[in-house]
């Protein structure tokens, strides 16, 4: 299968491209490398040193004999995207290529506008490109569980049956996004659903939970293939951020009470979910939604787990409850369905103490790269 991985230089995209290539698919990466530039903007970095995209794909070919073609450019430049689609004629288009940080979108007006313009317009270009160039291509779009918010009823996979005043219908599940980033994903979902309806595009919207972990079997093959690992308040996700804080002797920074509960999954499951979606494509004209997570945890539960493992490894650390910079419920009901990917063959890598220990040991060698002033939250929703 010919597969384009847009955003293939990023935290989820890079290991996905390698995994799909190893599985025998013909893979190309489309990326504008903006995530590397944002590191410079934020005066931050990846804990793990990451090689250039060119060095990465060259090493992959040296180790495996498999070529991953690269196209450096922006989805917001439609002429560029059209030429890539014409050349590759993909069977599937995996779309990771969006600004993925809620805090980044909340820095100020300019960052909110950038996030929504980049994400929504880029996604619209992909929809038009598929319609014009490769109408049978399957769009596999990375959404987010954050589209749903934290409703006081169970979260279904994309759609919910409603009975109202004696009539029934199956409607898109209500969305209560918590940032301008999450709002951009909601707009994407609406645009994709509409495009499927009017043009007959086939699409899978993967509402992904919070991803933790660092390496996959493929990224561990050589240091040049290592994945990035973020720890700062803008791009660092909860579990990874806590693990890195524990290795530098910093308190684990829990926002508010820590009762915020979310869906989580291992990076190894992210790459497998993409493969499952690609090998089981949506029907023509179908817009389907999979909730892509494997377990639910509160932020405080994760902090306590990391604290326990870190102490066993000789890193004593405390849990600090900080004033929450976000506007969100800290004590709430959370129950979400996640059966569709499991029904298609996903066998989850569940979070255990050993998994946390493996991630911790992997980052210890690079803890001197941590810029400590970036650990504390600096972006406020209000």
């Amino acid at each position: 299968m010919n597969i384009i991985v847009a955003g293939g230089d990023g935290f989820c995209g890079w290991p996905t491209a390698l995994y799909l290539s190893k599985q025998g698919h013909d893979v190309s990466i489309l990326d504008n490398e903006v995530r590397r530039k944002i590191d410079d903007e934020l005066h931050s970095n990846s804990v793990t040193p990451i090689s250039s995209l060119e060095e990465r794909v060259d090493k992959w070919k040296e180790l495996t004999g498999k070529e991953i073609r690269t196209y450096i450019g922006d989805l917001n430049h439609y002429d560029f995207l059209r030429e890539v689609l014409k050349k590759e004629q993909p069977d599937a288009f995996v779309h990771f290529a969006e600004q993925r940080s809620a805090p980044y979108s909340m820095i100020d007006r300019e960052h909110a506008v950038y996030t929504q313009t980049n994400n929504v317009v880029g996604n619209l270009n992909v929809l038009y490109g598929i319609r014009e160039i490769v109408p049978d291509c399957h769009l596999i779009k990375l959404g987010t569980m954050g589209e749903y918010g934290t409703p006081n009823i169970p979260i279904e996979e994309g759609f919910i049956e409603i009975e109202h005043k004696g009539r029934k219908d199956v409607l898109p599940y209500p969305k209560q996004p918590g940032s301008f980033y999450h709002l951009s994903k909601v707009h994407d979902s609406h645009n994709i659903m509409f495009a499927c309806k009017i043009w007959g595009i086939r699409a899978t919207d993967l509402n992904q939970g919070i991803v933790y972990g660092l390496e996959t079997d493929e990224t561990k093959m050589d240091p040049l293939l290592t994945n990035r690992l973020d720890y700062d308040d803008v791009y660092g996700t909860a579990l990874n951020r806590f693990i890195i804080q524990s290795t530098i002797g910093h308190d684990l920074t829990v926002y508010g009470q820590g009762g915020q509960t979310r869906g989580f999954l291992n990076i190894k499951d992210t790459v497998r979910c993409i493969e499952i979606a690609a090998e089981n494509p949506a029907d023509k004209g179908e817009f389907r939604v999979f909730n892509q997570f494997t377990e639910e945890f509160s932020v405080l539960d994760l902090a306590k787990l990391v604290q326990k493992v870190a102490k066993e490894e000789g890193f004593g650390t405390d849990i600090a409850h900080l004033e929450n910079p976000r506007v969100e419920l800290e004590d709430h009901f959370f129950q979400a369905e996640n059966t569709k990917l499991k029904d298609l063959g996903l066998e989850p890598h569940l979070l255990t103490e050993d998994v946390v220990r493996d991630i911790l040991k992997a980052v210890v060698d690079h803890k001197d790269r941590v810029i400590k002033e970036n650990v504390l939250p600096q972006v406020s929703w209000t």
Side-chain angles (χ1 to χ4, degrees):
M1 189 180 298
N2 183 300
I3 302 177
I4 291 176
V5 179
D9 190 41
F11 172 61
C12 290
W14 174 243
T16 298
L18 295 188
Y19 178 79
L20 293 174
S21 177
K22 188 177 180 181
Q23 297 303 108
H25 298 290
D26 186 14
V27 177
S28 56
I29 286 174
L30 186 161
D31 203 291
N32 64 2
E33 299 187 318
V34 71
R35 182 63 191 88
R36 296 173 183 261
K37 299 170 187 174
I38 289 176
D39 275 343
D40 294 334
E41 176 199 345
L42 298 176
H43 306 290
S44 192
N45 61 345
S46 164
V47 172
T48 49
I50 51 174
S51 306
S52 70
L53 181 56
E54 181 180 6
E55 291 173 320
R56 285 172 147 186
V57 296
D58 285 348
K59 176 55 69 173
W60 179 249
K61 186 173 183 179
E62 175 188 325
L63 294 173
T64 67
K66 298 179 182 294
E67 180 185 17
I68 296 178
R69 295 173 298 285
T70 59
Y71 299 92
I72 306 303
D74 199 315
L75 293 182
N76 280 261
H77 300 155
Y78 187 62
D79 289 344
F80 162 75
L81 174 60
R82 287 179 76 252
E83 292 307 309
V84 175
L85 292 175
K86 284 181 179 179
K87 184 173 181 179
E88 289 294 333
Q89 294 291 312
D91 301 296
F93 189 100
V94 179
H95 186 6
F96 288 112
E98 297 197 333
Q99 194 294 101
R100 63 176 176 85
S101 165
Y104 189 85
S105 75
M106 301 299 292
I107 291 175
D108 55 23
R109 183 198 65 82
E110 292 176 349
H111 288 80
V113 169
Y114 166 76
T115 297
Q116 296 218 354
T117 302
N118 179 79
N119 294 1
V120 177
V121 174
N123 184 66
L124 273 172
N125 282 342
V126 171
L127 292 171
Y128 270 92
I130 290 175
R131 177 203 182 197
E132 179 184 355
I133 310 298
V134 281
D136 201 44
C137 177
H138 177 206
L139 173 60
I140 302 171
K141 169 66 165 59
L142 195 75
T144 169
M145 288 294 295
E147 291 187 31
Y148 299 119
T150 53
N152 200 37
I153 59 173
I155 297 171
E156 304 297 331
E157 297 201 63
F159 297 88
I160 185 171
E161 183 177 293
I162 299 291
E163 182 173 354
H164 181 63
K165 295 186 177 180
R167 302 188 67 85
K168 288 184 179 180
D169 203 350
V170 176
L171 301 171
Y173 195 94
K175 307 295 179 69
Q176 301 182 73
S179 73
F180 289 119
Y181 154 72
H182 292 104
L183 273 160
S184 76
K185 293 290 192 177
V186 173
H187 301 328
D188 286 343
S189 295
H190 289 159
N191 287 338
I192 297 168
M193 183 170 63
F194 184 66
C196 289
K197 177 181 178 180
I198 62 173
W199 296 333
I201 287 174
R202 59 183 79 228
T204 300
D205 203 3
L206 297 173
N207 283 342
Q208 181 169 257
I210 299 169
V211 182
Y212 63 85
L214 169 61
E215 304 287 18
T216 61
D217 291 342
E218 293 74 36
T219 64
K220 289 191 295 186
M221 290 172 62
D222 189 276
L224 287 180
L225 303 180
T226 294
N227 201 15
R228 70 173 297 124
L229 189 64
D230 297 303
Y231 62 91
D232 58 49
D233 72 304
V234 177
Y235 278 92
T237 57
L239 183 66
N240 283 352
R241 183 163 51 85
F242 291 157
I243 291 172
I244 293 166
Q245 287 174 340
S246 73
T247 66
I248 62 171
H250 197 286
D251 290 345
L252 308 187
T253 53
V254 172
Y255 298 166
Q257 299 175 33
Q260 305 93 316
T261 301
R262 304 289 187 266
F264 288 80
L265 78 161
N266 193 304
I267 186 68
K268 295 179 181 178
D269 289 331
T270 290
V271 302
R272 173 64 178 137
C273 288
I274 299 298
E275 179 187 32
I276 289 173
E279 294 184 345
N280 300 273
D283 293 331
K284 189 172 179 61
E286 180 185 11
F287 171 74
R288 64 182 185 180
V289 180
F290 296 163
N291 288 346
Q292 184 172 304
F293 72 97
T294 57
E295 298 177 276
E296 298 171 2
F297 298 100
S298 74
V299 174
L300 184 58
D301 287 340
L302 293 179
K304 289 178 177 178
L305 175 61
V306 172
Q307 183 185 42
K308 181 177 185 297
V309 173
K311 183 177 180 181
E312 293 172 356
E313 294 299 316
F315 298 99
T317 186
D318 295 323
I319 295 174
H321 291 265
L322 306 184
E323 182 179 353
N324 195 343
R326 305 185 179 205
V327 177
E328 61 184 359
L329 294 177
E330 296 175 10
D331 182 16
H332 58 85
F333 172 82
F334 188 86
Q335 179 185 321
E337 293 294 321
N338 63 337
T339 60
K340 293 181 180 179
L341 284 162
K342 293 177 184 177
D343 290 345
L344 290 173
L346 176 64
E347 298 178 358
H349 295 78
L350 300 181
L351 183 60
T352 64
E353 291 182 11
D354 285 340
V355 171
V356 173
R357 187 172 288 106
D358 287 344
I359 302 171
L360 188 150
K361 290 180 177 178
V363 303
V364 164
D365 290 342
H366 304 297
K367 66 178 184 177
D368 290 342
R369 288 174 52 85
V370 174
I371 302 170
K372 294 185 178 181
E373 53 265 34
N374 289 351
V375 170
L376 293 174
Q378 301 176 57
V379 180
S380 172
W381 262 229
T382 58

